[in-house]
Amino acid sequence: MTDPRLTSERIRVLIAEDQTLIREGLATLLAQQNDDFEIVGAAADGEQAIEFARRYRPDVVLMDLQMPRADGVTATQRILREFPGTGIVVLTTFETNDLIFEAVSAGAKAYLLKDSRIDEIAATIRTVANGQSALSPGVAAKILEEFKRLRPRHAPASPPLRGDLTARENEILKLIVEGKSNGEIGAQLHLAEGTIKNYVSTILEKCGAKNRTELAIKTIG
């Protein structure tokens, strides 16, 4: 594996996956993606992922959830406790609300299924390496469903109106909380998707949120 002391402009990726075929396949395919990835390690379980994170200091960890010794959520928590700047991309076969919620609550910046295309996985790694989250509207909706299920019973069913937002911005905020994409919001409000994107950026800035999911959770929390 690559010496972590060597500097490189490429994105340093650690793969944590207990199935050998998938682990080796991902390493091979990602290494072929525009030469911008450097595979610094390939861990076969959660404990090894933590050990390799300490040794190789990756920019991004591609993390399986179900692994021996330490699962992906535990490994994510422990890696981020020591290296908070590391981006965690969950790659799993599971799409249940509770697992998605646990992974994102632990600090994962993205959540992909193992049947995702390699170009989609590569694009997500690049996004997370740039310090951004990459949660699809569908995944965000599942997180919000689980958050709503866990919140206190007396919490309001709909987000309260915010005085620092315009009527239109509050309307769009409500639809974001419902997990709708920019395209769906635009179709419902008869506005261009680009216009909705600009509204969302303004709402994020006004509410001090980094992404749509954080915005929604802060709003309904």
Side-chain angles (χ1 to χ4, degrees):
M1 295 301 174
T2 305
D3 188 328
R5 293 169 296 182
L6 298 178
T7 59
S8 173
E9 294 182 358
R10 291 186 292 173
I11 299 170
R12 299 167 55 78
V13 180
L14 168 63
I15 298 170
E17 164 63 55
D18 64 328
Q19 296 185 49
T20 303
L21 185 62
I22 296 177
R23 185 172 66 249
E24 294 179 351
L26 284 169
T28 299
L29 291 171
L30 286 173
Q32 298 172 349
Q33 293 291 309
N34 297 328
D35 200 35
D36 60 346
F37 295 124
E38 180 181 355
I39 310 304
V40 297
D45 58 58
E47 286 292 344
Q48 193 173 50
I50 297 164
E51 175 190 342
F52 283 3
R54 292 170 179 153
R55 185 184 306 175
Y56 300 117
R57 307 292 178 87
D59 300 309
V60 176
V61 180
L62 198 57
M63 182 78 73
D64 186 20
L65 285 184
Q66 299 293 330
M67 294 186 292
R69 294 212 292 166
D71 61 33
V73 171
T74 300
T76 293
Q77 292 170 330
R78 290 173 59 183
I79 288 171
L80 291 179
R81 192 177 304 137
E82 294 187 43
F83 310 107
T86 305
I88 306 292
V89 176
V90 169
L91 187 65
T92 181
T93 55
F94 302 95
E95 197 179 8
T96 58
N97 289 12
D98 55 343
L99 281 175
I100 294 174
F101 186 76
E102 284 184 28
V104 175
S105 296
K109 291 292 185 65
Y111 194 107
L112 293 170
L113 297 181
K114 288 183 180 177
D115 61 0
S116 300
R117 300 186 313 274
I118 191 64
D119 59 332
E120 181 182 359
I121 295 172
T124 300
I125 291 174
R126 294 185 188 104
T127 297
V128 170
N130 286 328
Q132 302 173 333
S133 296
L135 296 174
S136 69
V139 168
K142 288 178 179 292
I143 295 170
L144 293 173
E145 280 181 39
E146 187 67 10
F147 186 83
K148 290 174 182 177
R149 186 181 71 81
L150 295 173
R151 69 181 177 170
R153 292 183 179 180
H154 62 270
S158 298
L161 295 177
R162 291 183 58 113
D164 54 342
L165 299 182
T166 66
R168 176 65 86 184
E169 289 167 351
N170 270 303
E171 187 176 17
I172 292 172
L173 175 60
K174 178 178 182 295
L175 296 174
I176 291 173
V177 170
E178 293 175 4
K180 295 187 183 298
S181 67
N182 288 348
E184 291 170 331
I185 295 173
Q188 183 167 333
L189 299 181
H190 306 291
L191 294 172
E193 186 171 348
T195 301
I196 298 300
K197 183 177 180 180
N198 291 336
Y199 269 117
V200 172
S201 296
T202 300
I203 294 168
L204 289 172
E205 184 177 354
K206 286 185 176 181
C207 297
K210 296 178 181 178
N211 52 62
R212 298 164 68 98
T213 304
E214 181 182 337
L215 171 67
I217 290 175
K218 289 175 70 173
T219 300
I220 66 177

